[in-house]
Amino acid sequence: MVRPYDSLPGDIDRAISDDHLLLDRLFVHLEAHRGDRRILADQVVYRISLHLSAEEQTLDPVFDEPAVVERFGEAQMELVRRGRQIRQRIKEAASEIDRSKPGNPDFEEALRHLVADVRRQSADQETLLLPALRAVIGPQRMAELGAEFSAAKHRAPTHPHPQAPNTARSSRFLGGPTALLDRLRDRTSGRRGWIATDASGLLEPQSQTLLDTFAALGPRPTETLDPAQARRQPTLTDAVAKIRADRGDLDEREPVDSVFDYVIDGPGGGLTLRVYRPTSASPSGGLPVLIYLYAGGWVVGSLDTYDATPRALCNKERCLVVAVDYRHAPEHPFPAAHDDVLAATRWLAANAGEIGGDASRIAIAGEAVGGTMAAATCLQLRDAGEPTPMLQVLIHPVTTMATDSASTVDAAEAAPLNRPMLSWFARHAFPRPELLTDPRVALLDLPIERLTGLPSAVVITVERDPLRSQGQAFANRLRAANVPVEHIHYDGVPHEFFGMGAVLDVANEAQDRVAAALHAAFNPSGQSASGWPTGI
C-alpha cells in the first residue's frame, strides 16, 4: 500500500491504490452474497473498464521507455509482462460477467477468476512495480502520470473490450468512439442509473432510496472530472428534490422568516454571509448565532446546495444561522477557505448586532470539511486568546488527510463519498505535500494537550462513510483532553445525510439532537436571554 504521505493524493500510485481498494470492497460484498448482486457486478465491470483503459494509456508507455526498461532489470520487466497477461484475463472475465446473469455458472466462475486476478495484480503493482517506478522516474513524473490517468478514465470505455488491440496507441485511437458507444448503451439499458448507488445492502431503506435516486441522475465518478465539471454534477440535493416532486410535495424549501446576503471584507475580498432568521416571531434583543460551514471537500459545494441545513437548524433552535461562502480550491487552495471562516467568525464576534445577532452567544457547525474548519477555527481562536464559540458541531468531519483508517477501507466504495474522491479533493486543495500535515487539517496529529480548553463538541458519524473512523477518533481525543463531547453515531446511513430531513427520518432526528445541544449551550441557566424558556 502507498503510505499516507509518501505521495500527493493525485499521483498515479495513489490513484491506482484507491481503485484497488474500491474494487476489493465490491468483491467483499459479492463474496458475502450481500446487497444487489447484479448492480455490484455492473459496478465492478464499470470500474475495471475505466481503470484498465487508463492503465494502458498511461502506464504501458512508461514501462516501455528504454530508460525504465534498463533500470528495472529482468525480474521487474517480467512482472510488467505478467501484468499485461493478467490484465487481458481480467478483461475477458469482466466481459463474461457483463453479459451473464448472477447465479449462472459462467458468471460465477468468471467472477472468481476476476477477483483472484485483480487481487494478484494489486499486490504486484502496489508492493513492487509502482514503488520501483517512483524510484526510477521521480515524484514529479508520478504526479503528471496521475493527472493523465484521471483524464484517461474520463474518456475510457465503460465496458470491457478484450478483443481490442492491447496497446496504448490503439487505446487512445479506439477509446473515444468506443466510450461514446458504451455510454449510449448504458443510457438505453438503464445501467447508467445505478453505477453511483450504494449496492452493499447495508443502508437503511430511506437512505437506500435517496442513493438510488441520486444514481439515477447519472453522476460520473468525481475523480475522472476536473473541478468545473464536478461542480456541474448532480447532487444529493437534486435527488431530494426529485423524491419530493415524485410524491407531490411542491414546497421546495423549508420556510424561514427571511434570508438575506450580507457582504463583509474578507482576506480575499468581499466575503458573503447568508443570514437565516427563524419563522417564529422574534422577541426583542439579538438572537443567538450559529455559524454554518457547508461541505464539498474545499472544491465543490455552495450556499444554494447546502441550503437545507441552515433552514432546519434556524427553525429548530430559533437562532440566527449565518452560512459562510468561503473560497474554493483549486482557484484558492488551502488555507484560503480556513482564512475566510476565521475572518467571518471574528467579524461576527464583533459585529453580530448589525445583522440581528447576539455576539455573546455564538456557536459553530460544519459538515465534512466544514466540520474541519469549525474545529480549526476554535483552535485558532483559543490559541490567540480570543473568545471561542460556545459549542462546535462537527458532522462527519475530516480530521486527517491520512488514508489508513478502518473506514477508508471498509467504506472505500460507499456513496456519495468514496475513497478515490478523498484523494481527488486533497489533490486539488493541497498543492504541496507539507500542507497535508498542517494542524488546521491534521487534527488527529495534535497532541492531547493542544486540545484542552476547546469548547464542548457534538460529533456526528455514520456507518457508510470513509470519514467515520477519523470522526470517532477525534471525538475520543477531545474526551481525553477533558472537552465535553456528545458523540452521535448512526448505522446504515451515508455521508452527507444531515441536511436531507425532507426525505430521511434519521436526518430529522440528528437535527433535533443538534438543536437541543445548541439550546443548552445558548441558554446554560435554563432561560434564554431573549425570553424563551429552555426545552421548547
Side-chain angles (χ1 to χ4, degrees):
M1 292 291 178
V2 178
R3 294 191 301 273
Y5 302 121
D6 277 352
S7 61
L8 279 173
D11 291 358
I12 192 167
D13 42 3
R14 180 71 66 85
I16 288 175
S17 175
D18 288 343
D19 278 0
H20 288 161
L21 274 168
L22 186 152
L23 282 166
D24 200 66
R25 290 311 300 174
L26 295 173
F27 296 161
V28 167
H29 299 316
L30 285 162
E31 289 170 330
H33 292 270
R34 181 171 59 221
D36 189 307
R37 199 163 181 77
R38 178 70 265 171
I39 294 178
L40 288 167
D42 282 346
Q43 290 178 345
V44 165
V45 169
Y46 178 86
R47 288 283 181 173
I48 280 177
S49 299
L50 301 188
H51 181 95
L52 295 186
S53 178
E55 274 196 8
E56 290 173 357
Q57 295 181 51
T58 55
L59 279 182
D60 281 8
V62 178
F63 287 141
D64 290 337
E65 290 176 3
V68 173
V69 172
E70 180 181 357
R71 292 188 62 184
F72 258 25
E74 183 54 34
Q76 287 165 326
M77 288 311 301
E78 177 57 32
L79 278 178
V80 171
R81 289 189 288 271
R82 186 174 82 174
R84 289 171 177 170
Q85 293 170 353
I86 292 175
R87 186 168 63 203
Q88 182 62 23
R89 295 204 304 265
I90 292 171
K91 283 185 176 183
E92 292 168 356
S95 183
E96 181 62 44
I97 292 168
D98 200 23
R99 62 176 177 261
S100 301
K101 293 182 179 180
N104 181 295
D106 291 340
F107 175 100
E108 302 300 337
E109 182 179 5
L111 179 62
R112 285 193 296 273
H113 287 301
L114 180 142
V115 170
D117 278 337
V118 171
R119 285 174 172 161
R120 184 180 299 111
Q121 187 86 309
S122 300
D124 284 350
Q125 288 182 332
E126 294 187 42
T127 61
L128 299 170
L129 279 180
L130 293 174
L133 183 64
R134 175 173 286 275
V136 170
I137 67 174
Q140 181 60 41
R141 185 80 186 280
M142 295 295 277
E144 293 168 358
L145 288 173
E148 292 178 25
F149 185 82
S150 175
K153 285 175 72 175
H154 180 68
R155 61 177 179 264
T158 63
H159 292 262
H161 296 276
Q163 305 309 316
N166 191 17
T167 67
R169 182 175 181 179
S170 63
S171 294
R172 287 192 177 95
F173 179 74
L174 294 172
T178 305
L180 288 174
L181 289 172
D182 280 357
R183 290 193 169 94
L184 177 61
R185 175 183 169 191
D186 291 344
R187 190 176 297 114
T188 56
S189 69
R191 177 181 188 252
R192 178 184 178 189
W194 58 74
I195 291 301
T197 194
D198 184 325
S200 67
L202 297 173
L203 290 178
E204 58 89 27
Q206 289 182 332
S207 295
Q208 188 67 62
T209 297
L210 175 63
L211 267 293
D212 289 346
T213 305
F214 169 67
L217 299 175
R220 296 182 66 177
T222 300
E223 77 275 11
T224 70
L225 307 175
D226 63 36
Q229 292 167 329
R231 291 165 188 158
R232 296 193 295 269
Q233 285 267 84
T235 67
L236 284 190
T237 300
D238 298 321
V240 169
K242 177 70 166 58
I243 294 171
R244 296 183 71 181
D246 288 348
R247 70 189 186 192
D249 185 351
L250 301 180
D251 294 329
E252 292 186 4
R253 300 176 179 178
E254 180 176 346
V256 296
D257 180 73
S258 63
V259 180
F260 62 92
D261 288 350
Y262 196 90
V263 180
I264 65 171
D265 291 331
L271 177 58
T272 298
L273 310 179
R274 181 161 293 176
V275 183
Y276 298 77
R277 293 184 62 85
T279 53
S280 302
S282 302
S284 59
L287 292 169
V289 177
L290 173 64
I291 301 168
Y292 171 72
L293 312 173
Y294 58 78
W298 297 285
V299 179
V300 299
S302 69
L303 293 175
D304 292 334
T305 303
Y306 288 90
D307 176 69
T309 294
R311 288 175 179 271
L313 294 179
C314 171
N315 283 335
K316 287 178 184 289
E317 171 42 18
R318 299 180 187 175
C319 64
L320 208 67
V321 177
V322 180
V324 182
D325 196 18
Y326 56 83
R327 288 171 290 169
H328 288 171
E331 297 87 350
H332 305 283
F334 177 85
H338 287 247
D339 292 343
D340 287 349
V341 170
L342 182 62
T345 304
R346 283 174 165 156
W347 185 90
L348 286 163
N351 303 286
E354 289 188 22
I355 57 173
D358 179 354
S360 69
R361 294 188 293 160
I362 293 178
I364 192 167
E367 301 184 51
V369 299
T372 314
M373 292 187 283
T377 297
C378 291
L379 278 163
Q380 289 177 276
L381 293 173
R382 192 276 318 272
D383 289 349
E386 300 175 44
T388 61
M390 306 175 78
L391 180 72
Q392 52 180 325
V393 180
L394 315 179
I395 303 163
H396 42 65
V398 176
T399 60
T400 177
M401 299 312 298
T403 56
D404 55 351
S405 67
S407 59
T408 57
V409 175
D410 68 42
E413 88 311 341
L417 181 68
N418 60 37
R419 170 70 174 255
M421 289 172 66
L422 293 179
S423 294
W424 184 89
F425 286 127
R427 163 191 163 197
H428 289 293
F430 299 91
R432 302 192 309 278
E434 63 269 21
L435 295 176
L436 297 167
T437 56
D438 187 286
R440 286 168 287 185
V441 292
L443 298 166
L444 283 183
D445 292 344
L446 295 172
I448 294 296
E449 56 268 22
R450 285 273 283 121
L451 301 176
T452 57
L454 289 176
S456 300
V458 175
V459 180
I460 297 179
T461 58
V462 293
E463 180 186 14
R464 295 295 292 154
D465 183 2
L467 304 180
R468 182 193 71 244
S469 296
Q470 52 184 273
Q472 293 169 336
F474 191 61
N476 290 336
R477 290 186 69 78
L478 287 173
R479 283 198 191 97
N482 295 316
V483 175
V485 176
E486 180 183 6
H487 176 207
I488 304 168
H489 178 78
Y490 296 102
D491 286 330
V493 177
H495 180 82
E496 207 170 326
F497 83 106
F498 188 80
M500 310 298 153
V503 298
L504 297 182
D505 292 341
V506 67
N508 272 312
E509 178 189 334
Q511 292 167 7
D512 287 341
R513 294 185 69 173
V514 167
L518 288 168
H519 197 80
F522 289 145
N523 310 294
S525 65
Q527 183 79 14
S528 74
S530 56
W532 285 316
T534 61
I536 31 184

